[in-house]
Amino acid sequence: MTRALAALAVAILAVAPAAQAQKFEGLALTPPMGWNSWNHFACDISEETVRQTADAMVASGMRDAGYLYVNIDDCWHGERDADGFIGADPGRFPSGIKALADYVHSKGLKLGLYSDAGWKTCGGRPGSRGREFQDALTYARWGVDYLKYDWCSTEGLRAEGAYQTMAAALTAAGRPIVFSICEWGDNKPWEWAGDVGHLWRTTGDITACFDCEVDHGDWSSWGVLRILDLQEGLRAHAGPGHWNDPDMMEVGNGMSESEDRAHFSMWAMLAAPLIAGNDLRTMSETTRSILTNREVIAVDQDPLGIQGFRHSRDGDLEVWYRPLADEDWAVCVLNRGPAPRRIELDWHDETVSDELSGRQTLFNARLYRVRDLWTGKDLGTTRRVLDAEIGGHDVLMVRLARVLDADD
Ligand code: GLA
């Protein structure tokens, strides 16, 4: 090496960060959208169900509405071979994951898999501990596009390090794979996972009820409102490429229509990943129309990626705001209670300032058109008082579109 080259190498080493486990950059610039098998199928999953789900994702219009990932959760695994390579359960996935990935890709979709940082997954299948680089390579060879990485059987592991190891393994494998961190918010991933994963669970598991806690002995699962309330204080950590994940959706899994609508709306206000968790093959038209509401999806997928916030609460009624691109806002009035509630919103009484984004609604100086995102009706402008009745466990969700050539 010439002296000049050596000096250059020293200079590069001096500025380059220490070898660090970093995620694959440039992925999930808006919250990931797709489907995951767990909420509806749990361990009862097979390649046939996954293929049919991919077909349904296309036929239902979900793919065209933005849903991309078809994610297989726990229990796809078989055993490791003599060299330690993991394979799929030959009974449930006889054609193997590579063939399934090819099929899903042929539909214009992407395939996701699930593993665990510990010795075993939560369903007792082989985990990736000690096999991280080997498993990441296997997933990349199969054509996997998304990995959800769970946190069962991890005694003695430090979460940040364990997730960094898998992030490094995925990056080394060379394929762009979205990395979904699932340690239930136990180790405050929002404080360290921005460089490690593209999304991180903020809570324990969701369950299909609006406001309940289901006790499973040593852990609980949570209804929509409980999960929503647990997002308090986390919004500063979300943004393009790194999202808070309040868990996969329960739309179509047994709640009422209004509860499903409220759930979907609030996930959009939170800039949450929109991962459907129902049986797409048999869903009702009502469920389909909720999941494919383009204007609500556009709020979720807003390119600025600023998570919304609760602006006010009056008994069961909450008013949430989310700053959007082009100086628009999404506003969602959530009725947490079972009885209908009336709201009269005189925009001019409200000065909404968001310290995090530096955005202000400035209703006295700016005019916005108001559009109801669930009825698709224009409700006039912010000059008019918004007067509406909101059903129990329902929402009124509007988009305020700034009228640029008008003064109020
Ligand atoms: C954990 C996760 C769930 C699901 C199951 C699978 O509970 O939080 O989302 O992946 O494991 O066993």
Side-chain angles (χ1 to χ4, degrees):
M1 200 188 293
T2 65
R3 265 208 171 143
L5 259 184
L8 185 66
V10 169
I12 288 173
L13 282 176
V15 293
Q20 215 175 18
Q22 295 293 342
K23 70 184 187 186
F24 205 105
E25 289 293 350
L27 300 176
L29 297 180
T30 59
M33 292 176 64
W35 171 89
N36 173 294
S37 53
W38 184 256
N39 284 356
H40 184 83
F41 294 96
C43 275
D44 189 15
I45 186 73
S46 67
E47 68 177 43
E48 201 189 1
T49 306
V50 176
R51 279 172 194 253
Q52 289 170 354
T53 298
D55 294 347
M57 202 124 129
V58 177
S60 62
M62 283 179 70
R63 179 191 64 185
D64 292 345
Y67 293 85
L68 190 60
Y69 294 97
V70 177
N71 293 348
I72 311 171
D73 206 276
D74 207 347
C75 304
W76 59 267
H77 320 68
E79 299 298 326
R80 293 190 182 277
D81 69 13
D83 295 325
F85 286 97
I86 188 74
D89 178 333
R92 293 180 169 272
F93 293 85
S95 316
I97 303 295
K98 171 85 175 69
L100 197 50
D102 290 347
Y103 183 79
V104 167
H105 292 154
S106 77
K107 300 269 159 184
L109 298 166
K110 291 180 181 286
L111 188 81
L113 274 190
Y114 161 102
S115 188
D116 188 290
W119 301 116
K120 287 191 168 180
T121 71
C122 299
R125 306 314 198 259
S128 290
R129 185 160 182 186
R131 300 277 182 192
E132 294 87 352
F133 282 74
Q134 191 175 15
D135 284 355
L137 195 60
T138 302
Y139 306 151
R141 285 181 178 158
W142 284 342
V144 166
D145 307 291
Y146 187 113
L147 179 69
K148 173 174 164 185
Y149 204 49
D150 216 339
W151 191 239
C152 279
S153 314
T154 52
E155 297 70 26
L157 275 184
R158 197 172 59 97
E160 183 175 351
Y163 283 96
Q164 278 177 342
T165 301
M166 189 43 110
L170 292 170
T171 301
R175 184 177 170 87
I177 296 180
V178 171
F179 190 35
S180 158
I181 293 174
C182 177
E183 53 70 83
W184 320 305
D186 286 0
N187 304 276
K188 300 195 171 146
W190 44 88
E191 289 179 356
W192 49 262
D195 293 333
V196 183
H198 303 96
L199 60 158
W200 50 82
R201 284 273 296 277
T202 54
T203 69
D205 288 6
I206 196 169
T207 193
C209 68
F210 200 61
D211 188 10
C212 73
E213 175 183 347
V214 178
D215 184 354
H216 303 272
D218 51 355
W219 62 286
S220 285
S221 52
W222 310 90
V224 168
L225 292 184
R226 306 292 177 102
I227 298 237
L228 179 67
D229 292 346
L230 291 166
Q231 308 310 310
E232 189 77 46
L234 302 185
R235 65 186 289 258
H237 304 285
H242 48 98
W243 307 102
N244 289 313
D245 174 8
D247 207 358
M248 308 169 295
M249 294 187 288
E250 292 283 14
V251 173
N253 278 343
M255 285 187 288
S256 73
E257 178 182 345
S258 68
E259 290 170 340
D260 276 352
R261 187 165 43 238
H263 171 25
F264 192 68
S265 303
M266 293 315 301
W267 262 227
M269 294 301 285
L270 292 173
L274 295 181
I275 308 292
N278 57 314
D279 187 345
L280 304 189
R281 304 167 308 172
T282 57
M283 68 182 154
S284 68
E285 177 50 29
T286 304
T287 297
R288 197 197 69 82
S289 68
I290 291 172
L291 289 172
T292 56
N293 182 316
R294 301 254 180 161
E295 294 185 276
V296 176
I297 291 173
V299 170
D300 181 76
Q301 296 286 301
D302 185 80
L304 294 183
I306 303 168
Q307 188 173 323
F309 57 94
R310 184 193 286 116
H311 170 62
S312 60
R313 183 166 182 175
D314 171 16
D316 282 335
L317 271 195
E318 294 183 357
V319 185
W320 288 68
Y321 277 77
R322 178 171 174 190
L324 304 175
D326 300 325
E327 302 194 59
D328 286 7
W329 291 79
V331 182
C332 193
V333 187
L334 168 67
N335 182 358
R336 301 171 65 107
R341 286 282 308 265
R342 176 148 228 103
I343 183 159
E344 280 184 27
L345 225 169
D346 185 346
W347 303 102
H348 286 190
D349 286 348
E350 299 263 322
T351 300
V352 180
S353 297
D354 175 24
E355 243 176 64
L356 179 70
S357 64
R359 293 275 300 272
Q360 293 184 304
T361 55
L362 299 175
F363 287 127
N364 287 315
R366 294 178 177 176
L367 184 67
Y368 299 83
R369 281 194 312 276
V370 182
R371 183 168 168 82
D372 184 326
L373 302 187
W374 285 108
T375 63
K377 286 201 181 115
D378 290 323
L379 303 178
T381 70
T382 43
R383 275 198 197 106
R384 190 194 286 177
V385 173
L386 182 80
D387 180 355
E389 184 172 277
I390 304 170
H393 294 180
D394 207 343
V395 286
L396 172 72
M397 185 172 183
V398 299
R399 185 179 184 114
L400 305 182
R402 171 107 191 259
V403 182
L404 282 171
D405 55 1
D407 276 341
D408 198 355

